[in-house]
Amino acid sequence: MQTKISLASHIGDYKFDNLLLNAAGVRCSTTDELEKTLDSMAGGCVTKSATPEERAGNESPRMKALPLGSINSMGLPNHGIDYYLKFAEENQGQNGKQVILSVAGLSIDQNIEMLKKVQESAFDGLTELNLSCPNVAGKSQVGYDFDAVRDVLTATFKFFKKPLGLKLPPYFDFNQFNGISEVLNDFPVTYINVINSIGNGLVVDPETESVVIKPKGGFGGLGGDYVKPTALANVRALRQRLDPRISIIGTGGIKSGMDVFEHVLCGADLVQIGTAFGYEGTPIFERISKELEEIMDKKGYQTLDDFRGKLKTI
Ligand code: RRO
């Protein structure tokens, strides 16, 4: 009986009727796009990562959809923090939907400047600090420098009293899983979101003997099928190392109900869909919800708690 199956989840006191959300960056740059996601079956929406001022981003072509995923080097095109903060203030909690406000300063000072605005605003939802944009030339991903992560969190939590999540890059070594977890466990972080795109991949078109995107000589962040095992590894490894009070959003390679099931088995509280949401638009949330409900029905699970984090080892 599918009627008794619930896809509800929560991050702290923030309740989501459905665990599915868009991933930051995909179909979430304008209020029109964000409203469409809020009107869909998704549990809420995430705003395009904001900078203090509006940005045009990198030169086009800057995103390429491929059979196994996507490569992008958007370069943070966005309408600026004031635009997204206003949307977040106006829409947070409406019709039971959550708005996650994503910020991605190009320096620690820019992050502090934006988080101060959020702190002083009426917005009472979740804020996500993106420490993992791979696509701004000359700027390295903060999430790979654990001392820099510690510095930004120390500066942030001196004044930031609202719930804060962190968007992190993929980690590839157990030393990295251990290192980032040690830092995060020292701070009142509400959740982490793993993974951002796998940075600085290179797709080659043998026909044209060329790269497929223009910025940075063709290097860009990978999403889609290419990244799912890396995403699952990050959800799993960080769930095993982080304090239970820190929730986890799983992002990476989700295009079916089975993909969501796997992320939740690894420990994801919520999940976000990037590349596949870009292909399909808001109907994807209904399709994947149905697929997940069917899987849960077959397995006799009624809630996500019935299998969250229960991945078996052999
Ligand atoms: O805008 C981008 O180029 C971008 C960002 Br901010 C990010 O966090 N991840 C990504 O793949 N692209």
Side-chain angles (χ1 to χ4, degrees):
M1 287 293 106
Q2 291 201 4
T3 45
K4 64 185 179 188
I5 289 174
S6 168
L7 301 185
S9 192
H10 67 95
I11 288 185
D13 297 334
Y14 293 82
K15 293 197 171 67
F16 296 75
D17 289 340
N18 187 309
L19 82 161
L20 307 178
L21 303 170
N22 68 290
V26 183
R27 296 180 186 265
C28 61
S29 294
T30 65
T31 55
D32 186 54
E33 290 173 317
L34 290 161
E35 277 162 11
K36 282 197 178 107
T37 297
L38 287 180
D39 286 342
S40 78
M41 272 203 70
C45 69
V46 188
T47 61
K48 171 66 187 172
S49 295
T51 48
E53 307 296 336
E54 189 161 9
R55 271 173 68 88
N58 293 339
E59 276 186 281
S60 293
R62 56 191 184 180
M63 202 282 288
K64 177 85 177 166
L66 302 150
L68 295 179
S70 61
I71 183 166
N72 90 84
S73 184
M74 304 300 288
L76 260 170
N78 78 94
H79 291 288
I81 182 67
D82 293 348
Y83 178 94
Y84 299 107
L85 183 53
K86 179 168 183 283
F87 177 87
E89 283 176 331
E90 289 171 358
N91 290 279
Q92 163 59 20
Q94 299 294 314
N95 305 313
K97 301 282 178 119
Q98 305 292 344
V99 177
I100 297 183
L101 177 68
S102 174
V103 300
L106 301 185
S107 64
I108 191 166
D109 287 349
Q110 286 193 2
N111 281 326
I112 298 302
E113 176 191 340
M114 288 190 286
L115 291 173
K116 283 197 167 147
K117 274 193 175 176
V118 178
Q119 178 63 35
E120 285 156 18
S121 76
F123 177 58
D124 61 358
L126 297 163
T127 302
E128 182 167 299
L129 177 60
N130 180 353
L131 297 179
S132 46
C133 175
N135 298 331
V136 178
K139 298 278 176 193
S140 52
Q141 291 164 271
V142 176
Y144 287 129
D145 179 342
F146 302 147
D147 291 336
V149 174
R150 191 174 280 283
D151 288 346
V152 72
L153 293 182
T154 300
T156 296
F157 286 116
K158 282 196 173 130
F159 67 89
F160 198 74
K161 304 299 171 199
K162 295 183 175 180
L164 187 75
L166 300 176
K167 182 78 174 269
L168 298 171
Y171 298 108
F172 300 96
D173 189 278
F174 278 66
N175 272 328
Q176 292 180 312
F177 295 139
N178 293 337
I180 190 68
S181 300
E182 274 171 28
V183 174
L184 299 182
N185 284 336
D186 283 344
F187 292 93
V189 171
T190 298
Y191 75 89
I192 58 148
N193 183 347
V194 282
I195 58 172
N196 207 319
S197 56
I198 296 185
N200 298 303
L202 187 66
V203 171
V204 171
D205 181 348
E207 198 69 38
T208 58
E209 304 180 10
S210 168
V211 300
V212 301
I213 55 172
K214 186 174 171 92
K216 292 176 65 180
F219 288 81
L222 302 176
D225 292 0
Y226 293 124
V227 314
K228 192 177 81 169
T230 299
L232 294 175
N234 276 262
V235 172
R236 171 75 164 174
L238 294 176
R239 183 65 288 159
Q240 290 173 321
R241 289 165 175 77
L242 291 175
D243 284 353
R245 66 178 166 81
I246 302 178
S247 299
I248 297 186
I249 300 180
T251 304
I254 293 174
K255 63 178 185 187
S256 71
M258 195 63 86
D259 298 325
V260 178
F261 186 77
E262 291 173 16
H263 267 265
V264 176
L265 266 185
C266 289
D269 294 287
L270 296 170
V271 299
Q272 296 183 351
I273 309 173
T275 298
F277 174 49
Y279 295 156
E280 290 181 45
T282 54
I284 198 172
F285 297 114
E286 188 166 355
R287 175 177 69 77
I288 290 186
S289 296
K290 277 194 188 137
E291 291 172 2
L292 179 59
E293 282 172 358
E294 276 166 25
I295 292 163
M296 289 170 63
D297 191 36
K298 272 198 196 125
K299 287 176 176 276
Y301 295 140
Q302 293 175 11
T303 71
L304 302 171
D305 285 342
D306 291 344
F307 59 97
R308 178 179 290 114
K310 294 187 178 167
L311 181 68
K312 295 174 195 158
T313 52
I314 51 176

